């Protein structure tokens, strides 16, 4: 997946989240490795994690001293 990242998260929704060497948090299609989403947050320093709140799934990732949360939409 291009290096960097601090870890990998695979979801039941067939997405794989990790950081890349360019400072992006990237979601890949688990079936073929195609990037489907990214956000430039800086060097990802942990394995992304996920949780559900009020029926919506969120992805958390840290970059430096900042924690980012993204909502997953269908």
């Amino acid at each position: 997946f291009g290096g960097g990242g601090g870890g990998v998260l695979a979801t039941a929704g067939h997405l794989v989240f990790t950081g890349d060497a360019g400072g992006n948090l990237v979601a890949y299609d688990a079936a073929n490795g195609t990037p489907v989403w990214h956000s430039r947050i800086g060097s990802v320093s942990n394995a992304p994690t996920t949780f559900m709140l009020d029926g919506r799934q969120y992805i958390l990732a840290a970059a430096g001293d900042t924690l980012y949360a993204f909502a997953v939409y269908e």
Side-chain angles (χ1 to χ4, degrees):
F1 292 118
V8 176
L9 167 69
T11 70
H14 308 289
L15 294 174
V16 175
F17 290 86
T18 190
D20 69 8
N24 297 293
L25 176 62
V26 185
Y28 296 93
D29 183 314
N32 58 29
T34 302
V36 295
W37 174 88
H38 74 277
S39 182
R40 183 159 175 70
I41 64 172
S43 181
V44 178
S45 56
N46 69 306
T49 190
T50 186
F51 67 94
M52 294 287 287
L53 178 65
D54 295 331
R56 174 155 293 153
Q57 184 177 12
Y58 293 86
I59 303 294
L60 293 178
D65 63 355
T66 306
L67 182 63
Y68 293 88
F70 299 92
V72 178
Y73 294 96
E74 294 182 25

